[in-house]
Amino acid sequence: MKEQYHIIVEEGSEAGMKITIPENGARLGRSSKNDFSLVDPLLSRHHCRIFFKDGGLWITDLGSANETFINDEKIDEAPIHRDDLITIGDTVLRVVDDGRPQIQITTPAETIVDLGLNSSPGEMQGANGKKANLTPLLTALFAVIIIAGAGMIMKKMISKPAPAIKVPTATEQKKDQTLTVDYEKIEASPENIFYYHLTITPDGVLAISIDDLQNNRSVREEKRVDKGLIEDLTDFLEQSGFFDLHDSYEGINPKTLDQYTIGITVGKQSKQVTISNRIEPDIFMRVREKLEDFGQVELGIWAIQFSTEKLLEMANNAYLLGKKQYAERMVAMGNLAAAIKSFKEAEWYLETVEQKPDFYADILASKRACTEELDKNYEEHNFRTERAIRLREWRTAASELRKLLELIPDRTDKRNIDARKKLEEVDARMEKEK
């Protein structure tokens, strides 16, 4: 039996890897928490997602640093088709099966009608003993038989039912996709209560209300969202697997309450799930983050949608990750750029926090030290590259250029752009000299 898969890795460290996309889609990236983890330092932790929509495969970029390309064109979200090449980081994927049915046209086999006319007409003995020439009579008879036979064949072909084509019923054509969302987040401790509430009404009105008692913050925002954006969100929620979750996931913490409740209705399908004082299932987390991101983009609310305690926690996690990445900068050259990104993220989380934590000063100092070290490393490898090019040592030049790309993974950075152009030229030189 032929193996079925949708994507194959054409280029990269995982070349030859075959990927089958499940019904609810799959995330790809560097992190082991993805559905498919790829070893590529230029990938983001969660780089892109491939999923089914409108009867075929689509791909969406998950805000990656180095972006997602289809046939060398940058995309945010787009359909993918058979033989498309998807570039993420230094990995190239080829679409083997886009999930869309292949149209095959078949023609009825030739119908051969044997009328038994292979022998020539002869002469018959008449009643008077004379031979009668029956050729004109037989010829006329043959013509009648042929016409009648052709009529029967045409009637059979006309009456033969055409290949079955499924015609959507009126119900299927007008499938109810009306979306209703009610998402509530409560973070309570003896010192504070933080309350976040997001709703989407059936007529497409998005509303967010936030109350932060300790920090005396209160926000109320709403707007009517474009119908196309609501439809895209509806597709994501339907394919996310949310409707297959249990109704509740409960843990125990006597001192605090961290509770998320999400209720989603799509047409006649409805589900409410509550997470209380425990780690979220991955599906629930993806849906929650999608709703929060949707609210942030549409209403311009970001940091304020989190409590000060949560912002401090996220900043501390990003800060510790940056320190770890910096400590491992000799293991992989890309870790230095990753550390800078983590320190920037930590600084961003603390932008709206009035009283900065003790580690804030070290965030700024670490970011500055990493940036200086990265610039120094770039100058050293760029010098080696230029020297190798002048000496026509193409293999050395190619090796140094690949190190530069790993050191500066941001495709929008001019240094990355220049290195890629030079690498194309060097590769062409090596090809000519083979």
Side-chain angles (χ1 to χ4, degrees), residues 93-105:
L93 313 171
R94 181 167 60 85
V95 181
V96 178
D97 181 355
D98 58 18
R100 296 174 180 86
Q102 299 300 302
I103 299 175
Q104 296 182 350
I105 300 176

Side-chain angles (χ1 to χ4, degrees), residues 58-76:
W58 284 59
I59 186 170
T60 184
D61 184 83
L62 298 177
S64 65
N66 292 322
E67 303 175 328
T68 298
F69 298 80
I70 297 180
N71 300 325
D72 295 327
E73 291 188 10
K74 184 176 80 69
I75 61 94
D76 293 320

